[in-house]
Amino acid sequence: MLKPLLQGLTLMAAATTTLQAAPRDLIIDTDPGADDVVALFLAMASPDELNIRAITTVAGNVRLDKTSRNARLAREWAGREDIPVYAGAGRPLVRTPIYAAEVHGEEGLTGVQVHAPQKPLAQGNAVQYLVDTLGSAQPHSITLAMLGPQTNLALALIQRPEIAQGIKEVVVMGGAHFNGGNITPAAEFNLYADPHAAEVVLASGVQLTYLPLDVTHKLLTSEARLKQLAAVNNQASKRVVDILNAYITHDMDLYGMPGGPVHDASVIAYLLKPELFSGRRIHMVIDSREGPTFGQTIADWYGVLKQPANVMWVEEGDAQGFFDLLSARLARLQ
């Protein structure tokens, strides 16, 4: 009796390990952007943990045609042309479109040469892709990494609210509380670019995690960390270093910081190694009223409003651990 029992326990343990090791189904919604490209490299170099179902693009840092081209370039550079790229919303739900060319350059990427990628966009629209994919998914099975304005997901939820059931978690790079904003004194760019979309996603009841400027401004480059990335010594690491060297100067000059943040890559790092980060579940609201606080995320960190928590707000991160992870994963690419 003992031998069959031990064999059964061994099989159960192996099955549990297999389940735990299954990669997370992921859709990356993005507006590349320099830091978006670094995030895409990090995700595409991590197939054991992340099964990237698709990349969906949105207007944000630059116009939709350029964000869609840059997403396809990142895919080409990483050797992951198996991943479909769908173009989505070309403007916010309500507000006038804004862009961030002064940070990311007119093409959305500085420090590297851009060209027309070989492989085209996938047929169809990103919003319809989200509706179809999330609508047919197993309950709570697909994670969305939101690296830009949340317009695509908001449009999908407006069209079919029930697709929220297919979502496991939405992890957002966006918002600011302790840090203050980066496009206005109160607002972070992704929220300011489409606060109405962020309100739709927040109201949907999906599990939400926010990585705001509060944490991304703690994950800063340094001369030593850029040398660490360069030491990987492949095409991917060279592109990342070239992109970052051009990109980080804006924030270093603006804030007087010793290094620059790599905002969007923090979302992928959080999905790969959540132990590098800490925060707490809080109640958050988004200000979409016209005026000086337009686009602000009001984070009730101390619970003074006595309202139910609706987001996980990440506030701390291990900067060296982040760059160690990025270096290790870039080494897997060409």
Side-chain angles (χ1 to χ4, degrees):
M1 286 293 292
L2 183 58
K3 186 176 180 180
L5 178 61
L6 290 173
Q7 288 175 335
L9 290 172
T10 301
L11 288 171
M12 287 174 62
T16 301
T17 301
T18 301
L19 285 172
Q20 288 173 342
R24 180 191 289 251
D25 279 347
L26 179 68
I27 296 169
I28 303 175
D29 192 86
T30 181
D31 63 336
D35 54 328
D36 305 72
V37 169
V38 180
L40 289 169
F41 276 6
L42 182 56
M44 290 188 286
S46 305
D48 291 343
E49 295 99 332
L50 302 176
N51 174 34
I52 306 172
R53 300 276 297 268
I55 298 167
T56 53
T57 62
V58 65
N61 286 319
V62 284
R63 298 192 319 262
L64 179 66
D65 60 325
K66 295 183 178 182
T67 64
S68 299
R69 178 202 60 204
N70 292 346
R72 289 182 293 138
L73 271 179
R75 173 183 69 175
E76 182 176 293
W77 288 335
R80 290 298 310 273
E81 290 178 304
D82 56 301
I83 302 168
V85 177
Y86 293 87
R91 57 158 297 135
L93 294 186
V94 177
R95 65 152 302 150
T96 303
I98 61 160
Y99 306 107
E102 73 281 2
V103 179
H104 295 267
E106 291 298 328
E107 298 302 322
L109 281 174
T110 55
V112 291
Q113 290 293 317
V114 299
H115 62 265
Q118 291 187 0
K119 191 166 182 181
L121 287 165
Q123 292 295 311
N125 180 271
V127 176
Q128 192 60 49
Y129 170 79
L130 291 173
V131 168
D132 295 342
T133 303
L134 297 173
S136 61
Q138 292 294 315
H140 312 298
S141 63
I142 297 179
T143 298
L144 283 96
M146 307 294 291
L147 309 184
Q150 298 172 49
T151 317
N152 287 334
L153 181 55
L155 286 167
L157 288 165
I158 290 167
Q159 187 175 328
R160 278 188 60 193
E162 66 271 19
I163 66 172
Q165 289 298 309
I167 296 174
K168 176 184 178 73
E169 183 180 11
V170 176
V171 185
V172 174
M173 191 280 119
H177 179 62
F178 296 106
N179 185 88
N182 63 354
I183 185 71
T184 74
E188 178 275 329
F189 176 83
N190 287 341
L191 273 290
Y192 186 77
D194 200 344
H196 304 94
E199 285 184 314
V200 170
V201 175
L202 184 64
S204 71
V206 297
Q207 182 173 320
L208 265 170
T209 297
Y210 264 67
L211 283 95
L213 300 183
D214 298 354
V215 65
T216 65
H217 275 216
K218 294 170 181 170
L219 307 178
L220 300 179
T221 62
S222 66
E223 186 176 347
R225 288 168 182 160
L226 290 170
K227 286 181 178 177
Q228 176 183 351
L229 295 175
V232 174
N233 198 29
N234 61 14
Q235 284 298 311
S237 68
K238 183 180 186 306
R239 285 195 175 101
V240 166
V241 171
D242 288 346
I243 288 168
L244 290 180
N245 274 327
Y247 167 67
I248 62 177
T249 56
H250 176 273
D251 280 356
M252 290 172 69
D253 292 344
L254 178 63
Y255 297 105
M257 296 189 298
V262 196
H263 304 287
D264 292 334
S266 66
V267 166
I268 306 303
Y270 176 82
L271 292 171
L272 293 172
K273 281 201 164 187
E275 63 271 20
L276 295 176
F277 299 88
S278 63
R280 65 171 78 157
R281 287 191 53 76
I282 63 162
H283 181 75
M284 185 194 80
V285 296
I286 298 158
D287 192 345
S288 60
R289 302 169 299 174
E290 291 295 335
T293 57
F294 181 78
Q296 182 179 15
T297 44
I298 297 108
D300 188 8
W301 183 254
Y302 297 105
V304 296
L305 297 177
K306 310 298 183 188
Q307 295 295 312
N310 56 4
V311 303
M312 173 67 181
W313 188 268
V314 179
E315 200 258 338
E316 290 288 346
D318 177 348
Q320 189 55 50
F322 167 81
F323 283 96
D324 288 346
L325 175 64
L326 180 58
S327 299
R329 296 307 162 93
L330 288 177
R332 299 177 174 182
L333 301 177
Q334 295 182 349

